[in-house]
Amino acid sequence: MILAMKKHDVISIDHLPLEWRTLVAAAMDVREQAYAPYSGFKVGAAVRTATGRVFYGCNVENASYGLTVCAERVAIWKAVSHGERQIVALAVVSETGAMPCGACRQVMIEFAREMPVLVADTRGRATITSIEALLPEPFPGADLTGQENSTQERITRADVG
Ligand code: THU
């Protein structure tokens, strides 16, 4: 996975390493399944987990607009539902190459300490940033009092799989 891109450098997805192309292809494919009758803005996302598996999701809107769920969160929740606790890369594709929303950034950092995030548009132009850059000062889970919820407990559980 390449990490050395400068902020806002744009690269063609055709020139990406195979691992990234696989992830972007999954995000592009699942974007076709987006349920976005209200915004018309289709998004697809794919994550690679520490065990090497790929999970993907699309945005799912609702007539009660606030119930809409973003593609990134669907992909992450699917990974977690399959027993994965650590994501190591995320790709998101939309028509405009939009950056992940704040809610999704918070969900990403729950399952990734450091992670490259690739943002692509449907014309195949991509930029690579990271969750650390997107959310430099996250809500500190360590401040939660419950042992079950402490960051250290979570990390330990993630590390032992
Ligand atoms: N959306 C995502 O899927 N991911 C984001 O990071 C931002 C927004 C979706 C939610 C909604 O269905 C549509 O884009 C317009 O906000």
Side-chain angles (χ1 to χ4, degrees):
M1 294 281 173
I2 50 171
L3 283 166
M5 285 178 69
K6 280 189 250 128
K7 201 177 179 186
H8 303 311
D9 277 356
V10 177
I11 187 171
S12 162
I13 58 172
D14 300 332
H15 298 142
L16 292 168
L18 179 63
E19 277 196 320
W20 271 126
R21 276 187 278 132
T22 306
L23 217 53
V24 174
M28 280 202 175
D29 281 355
V30 73
R31 180 178 166 276
E32 299 298 324
Q33 307 304 326
Y35 178 72
Y38 305 106
S39 74
F41 193 71
K42 296 182 171 192
V43 186
V47 295
R48 186 183 307 283
T49 67
T51 62
R53 298 166 79 191
V54 171
F55 296 87
Y56 40 83
C58 61
N59 53 331
V60 182
E61 298 188 346
N62 193 276
S64 179
Y65 297 166
L67 300 182
T68 291
V69 183
C70 295
E72 297 92 317
R73 275 178 283 161
V74 172
I76 293 168
W77 288 334
K78 282 170 71 178
V80 173
S81 301
H82 283 82
E84 302 288 337
R85 292 290 184 275
Q86 207 179 329
I87 55 173
V88 297
L90 182 146
V92 57
V93 178
S94 63
E95 187 175 354
T96 58
M99 286 288 165
C101 81
C104 288
R105 296 175 193 201
Q106 182 68 35
V107 171
M108 282 179 210
I109 210 148
E110 183 76 18
F111 300 105
R113 273 161 273 172
E114 293 176 340
M115 176 176 73
V117 174
L118 183 149
V119 181
D121 66 23
T122 49
R123 292 168 60 190
R125 294 176 302 194
T127 60
I128 298 181
T129 178
S130 66
I131 186 56
E132 310 92 273
L134 291 173
L135 193 62
E137 296 193 49
F139 172 69
D143 285 0
L144 301 177
T145 51
Q147 173 71 12
E148 184 66 14
N149 293 323
S150 74
T151 299
Q152 194 49 53
E153 173 70 5
R154 177 164 55 77
I155 288 171
T156 303
R157 276 187 277 127
D159 287 345
V160 296

